[in-house]
Amino acid sequence: MRSITLLGATGSIGASTLDLIRRAQGEWKVVALTANCQAVELAKLAREFNAEIAVVGDESCLPELREALAGSGIEAAGGATALVEAARREADLTVAAIVGCAGLAPTMAAIERGGLVALANKEALVAAGDVMTAAVARYGATILPTDSEHNAIFQCLAGNAISDVRSITLTASGGPFRGWTAAQLEAATPAQAVQHPNWSMGAKISVDSATMFNKGLELIEAAHLFPVGLDALRIVVHPQSVIHSMVEYRDGSTLAQLGPSDMRVPIASCLAWPRRMETPMPPLDLAAIGELSFQAPDEELFPATKLAREAAEAGGAAPAVLSAANEVAVAAFLAGQTKFTDIAALVARTLARPLPPAPSSLEDVLEVDRETRTRVREQLEHA
Ligand code: NDP
């Protein structure tokens, strides 16, 4: 039996992970499950999986969690420090699936334990970049990329030398607004933005897919996970989302990973790594799919990937600023406070201002994140 901690248990990645663990009964011991404030749902999961501890990030939700766990013998805790302490508990695998920079400190705690970390929380790696990769090396941790594209690349790299890679291509579905005009994008609503054509995901990443910031964040994530140089990282729009990414080698061979648009596939690859496990996926039926198509991204209408590449090239604090500005802008859009097209505009304006010094510690990254959020909120208030 292996032990697991799931940061972000009540989310979309959390649900997919727990579905696989439920099917593999008796193979996993659950250490910690966390949420932000969905205390009743978290308590239900903690009881079902007999977790040692359940933690809410928002301390004001702790009384509700305590009440929902009464009599279960499961520990309850709340607040940012409690999240970090839960991530420090011994576990064979930590699944990092909190959304946004809120997941950074607990993910770093799991890394500093020298553990095996299945990383879905892309914003954490984008913001912390070199700080996180240095900690991975220093503490002997292992990151298993869980994002479907990075998991695909990880699988295509198995058994090969990174020095033999000519290029890596991230595929992008293009999101729900692929083919829309500038005027249509101007009027796009939150309800339309969260309707992803291929994937069922949390609200923030769904909006990121619509703006293409998701692919921008993934480009920066890939630059840290697979050190082939930014010039060797490409993006292609592939509306069917069947090929999840590709690696081209110097001999002209390109390896691709194919599969259904269901996060249980990359999550299963992390849970079972370096082996394989059963999932409830039907066999891939390429004849039924019929056609796989590809097109270049439109960076005029969807400038997010260009902004992300520029931030990656600039390095230092720029990726953390980009990610924090995007988080605030997406939240404002979802709350009906700003237009869809303002998201990229706000991020671009924030990046154009003088940037803070390059962060060299977790505290520095969190400070850049806090400062950027304040600045973007001020811009939103004065808009
Ligand atoms: P969801 O919004 O569905 O879930 C987010 C989880 O994080 C919930 O458990 C939520 O708790 C918790 N959470 C939110 N804010 C905080 C906070 N401030 N402190 C502590 N916990 C918090 O997100 P997804 O599952 O869609 O995405 C999770 C991560 O995985 C993201 O980084 C995303 O980019 C990445 N990812 C997701 C994919 C997907 O298919 N969904 C695919 C690839 C990557 P609560 O429920 O209480 O709010």
Side-chain angles (χ1 to χ4, degrees):
M1 200 187 257
R2 294 169 72 210
S3 57
I4 187 167
T5 279
L6 176 47
L7 306 169
T10 48
S12 164
I13 293 287
S16 296
T17 307
L18 290 173
D19 179 75
L20 292 170
I21 290 181
R22 195 178 280 119
R23 288 165 194 275
Q25 267 198 0
E27 288 178 29
W28 291 95
K29 178 186 170 349
V30 175
V31 179
L33 295 180
T34 82
N36 189 33
C37 197
Q38 284 205 66
V40 171
E41 176 59 18
L42 179 65
K44 198 167 134 233
L45 295 171
R47 283 176 185 272
E48 179 189 349
F49 290 92
N50 196 24
E52 270 175 26
I53 183 168
V55 186
V56 278
D58 183 339
E59 210 165 350
S60 71
C61 307
L62 180 56
E64 199 186 351
L65 178 66
R66 283 216 172 101
E67 194 186 323
L69 283 175
S72 67
I74 298 168
E75 289 173 66
T81 310
L83 281 178
V84 168
E85 281 166 5
R88 278 204 193 115
R89 290 192 179 203
E90 203 47 50
D92 295 321
L93 176 68
T94 303
V95 178
I98 291 175
V99 62
C101 196
L104 174 57
T107 303
M108 286 293 281
I111 289 171
E112 287 171 7
R113 200 166 38 71
L116 187 60
V117 178
L119 183 74
N121 180 199
K122 62 190 84 184
E123 298 91 346
L125 178 55
V126 169
D130 296 340
V131 170
M132 186 182 283
T133 50
V136 168
R138 186 172 337 126
Y139 296 99
T142 302
I143 299 261
L144 298 175
T146 309
D147 219 344
S148 58
E149 294 76 1
H150 306 76
N151 187 267
I153 296 162
F154 184 64
Q155 294 195 43
C156 293
L157 285 171
N160 290 284
I162 197 93
S163 54
D164 282 336
V165 173
R166 185 189 282 165
S167 70
I168 290 177
T169 301
L170 297 162
T171 53
S173 68
F177 301 154
R178 185 176 55 86
W180 282 34
T181 63
Q184 286 175 308
L185 291 177
E186 229 6 68
T189 66
Q192 290 170 320
V194 297
Q195 286 304 313
H196 196 280
N198 304 342
W199 298 89
S200 159
M201 309 182 286
K204 195 257 174 184
I205 185 175
S206 297
V207 176
D208 284 346
S209 297
T211 56
M212 293 287 279
F213 266 110
N214 184 44
K215 215 46 58 182
L217 296 172
E218 287 177 6
L219 184 85
I220 303 174
E221 189 185 6
H224 289 294
L225 291 171
F226 313 113
V228 293
L230 268 173
D231 290 346
L233 292 176
R234 307 200 174 129
I235 295 171
V236 71
V237 174
H238 165 46
Q240 296 83 8
S241 297
V242 171
I243 295 181
H244 297 300
S245 279
M246 298 170 250
V247 177
E248 181 188 33
Y249 288 93
R250 64 192 175 107
D251 60 4
S253 268
T254 295
L255 304 192
Q257 186 262 351
L258 286 69
S261 315
D262 189 313
M263 283 306 292
R264 287 176 294 181
V265 176
I267 294 168
S269 137
C270 295
L271 291 181
W273 182 82
R275 289 192 278 278
R276 298 274 176 182
M277 63 183 275
E278 290 293 326
T279 70
M281 295 303 126
L284 182 67
D285 186 347
L286 285 174
I289 293 165
E291 186 180 297
L292 300 182
S293 56
F294 305 92
Q295 51 194 251
D298 181 343
E299 292 191 328
E300 287 292 314
L301 276 178
F302 300 96
T305 48
K306 190 164 162 281
L307 289 169
R309 190 177 284 278
E310 286 166 3
E313 278 161 2
V321 168
L322 172 128
S323 185
N326 179 54
E327 272 198 57
V328 177
V330 169
F333 169 67
L334 284 171
Q337 290 160 3
T338 193
K339 285 189 299 192
F340 178 78
T341 42
D342 287 341
I343 299 173
L346 263 167
V347 174
R349 272 207 302 281
T350 311
L351 281 168
R353 296 167 67 162
L355 294 176
S360 59
S361 66
L362 172 61
E363 290 65 35
D364 289 353
V365 179
L366 295 175
E367 183 54 31
V368 170
D369 183 74
R370 267 192 299 272
E371 253 180 44
T372 307
R373 283 167 195 269
T374 308
R375 274 202 213 170
V376 179
R377 286 194 190 109
E378 279 167 9
Q379 287 192 59
L380 279 163
E381 275 161 25
H382 297 118

